[in-house]
Amino acid sequence: MSETKIRISRKVKAPLKRATASPSRQSSRLAAKTKPVPETSQSNRKTANVAVPSAELAKSYMDRLDDISRKLSQLALHSLDDKDTPKRDTLASKNKKRTESEDGTLSDDSERTQVGPSYRIVESKEKEMCAALFSPLCNIPKREELSTLLLQKPEIKIPIHHSVYSWLQTYIEDDKLEDMFDIVEKVGNICPKLTPRVETALQVKVSNDVTESMQQCFIDVFLMGIVGTAQEYLEMDTKINRNANELSMTKSKCRPDYLLMLNGQLVFKGEEKKAGDVRNIALELVDKMIPGSVGKDGKLEYLLGYATAGSRVLFECIYGDGKMSECSDILNLERVADRVSLLVIMINVVRVACALYNAKNQ
């Protein structure tokens, strides 16, 4: 019996020691948990809601977009060598994959590759290349020609990284890619702003299961990537705005969701909704127009615009007195091929818009 009592007493002593040994430690832990939040974070919250001028807001948006684009483009780079074919290290076990299903839509299942970057560092040619890319058309195209002209290949090839190019080959014919893109690893990083913006637009994940404001962010990646870049290089005062009053061609108290202005003149606009029939949504493009603002006696011969319903985009030509005609197919931004088409259309929209403005103001 005495041996049994000794064993029990030894087992009981250990937890008693742990329970009573260090009350100071317990109190210090409790104090750490209940430590008050510093006042500086609260003061920062109060000063966060400061009104920012629209110009600064636009610049801040573009800076953030460039930063995100740069990081995204660096996540998947292939190095090209004259002697060896690119070696690909599959990241299937670590990274989420994205694939395109049979209907061409993106899903989180595709295989991405990553190899350390290795390409020539060359002087930027962005200014001259963007001047050629967005050069105004010499003549205003006829309305009947717009659906073909808007899909016309760009004047210059846009440099993208080899990893992005090879990923596009899964979904798009080689001849179309060759007409549209060049490879950074071959020509050098000659467009340090345009390249990451285009790559971001090609790869950004689009979802219909979000708010209308969030969907506007998706379309803004394309609009700011192309129109925002053109804004920096066009030789005229170019302004982009959203949900803003416009008096040159728009009825009072009617504000387009998206506006592109050249020297104060509206030349391109858009209407966006979370869901619905994109053709019905496009009717708002005409409903908000001042009668007679386009046409022979108007401020422009015709006006280009777009409408969105979630991830679907349709381009329209507004002409005459409240008339409208489609100048594109309905694009689905969940499809990689349609993203490339949207980039091509936006480049040509800028060129046509400049030509329309020049024809009435020169």
Side-chain angles (χ1 to χ4, degrees), residues 312-328:
R312 299 182 182 276
V313 186
L314 175 65
F315 285 83
E316 298 274 5
C317 172
I318 306 162
Y319 65 97
D321 192 7
K323 297 177 182 179
M324 190 167 61
S325 61
E326 296 179 6
C327 49
S328 80

Side-chain angles (χ1 to χ4, degrees), residues 38-50:
E39 293 183 2
T40 54
S41 62
Q42 296 176 357
S43 62
N44 287 340
R45 289 174 190 167
K46 290 179 181 179
T47 58
N49 299 322
V50 179

Side-chain angles (χ1 to χ4, degrees), residues 134-141 236 262 267 300-302 348-362:
F134 301 115
S135 60
L137 297 176
C138 298
N139 300 307
I140 297 175
M236 57 183 77
L262 296 179
V267 294
L300 294 177
E301 186 169 327
Y302 55 78
N348 288 314
V349 161
V350 173
R351 301 185 69 204
V352 174
C354 291
L356 288 166
Y357 176 84
N358 290 339
K360 289 287 185 177
N361 295 276
Q362 283 185 352

Side-chain angles (χ1 to χ4, degrees), residues 243-302:
N243 196 31
N245 290 319
E246 193 284 315
L247 303 177
S248 69
M249 303 173 77
T250 310
K251 294 176 182 177
S252 175
K253 298 181 181 179
C254 292
R255 297 178 294 184
D257 290 332
Y258 179 87
L259 307 92
L260 171 62
M261 315 279 290
L262 296 179
N263 292 337
Q265 173 63 55
L266 179 67
V267 294
F268 178 63
K269 67 174 185 173
E271 294 294 337
E272 301 167 353
K273 294 289 183 288
K274 179 181 178 180
D277 186 332
V278 70
R279 288 190 170 96
N280 288 337
I281 295 167
L283 295 175
E284 288 191 32
L285 294 168
V286 173
D287 293 342
K288 295 181 180 181
M289 294 281 292
I290 296 174
S293 55
V294 293
K296 289 183 179 180
D297 299 325
K299 297 187 176 181
L300 294 177
E301 186 169 327
Y302 55 78

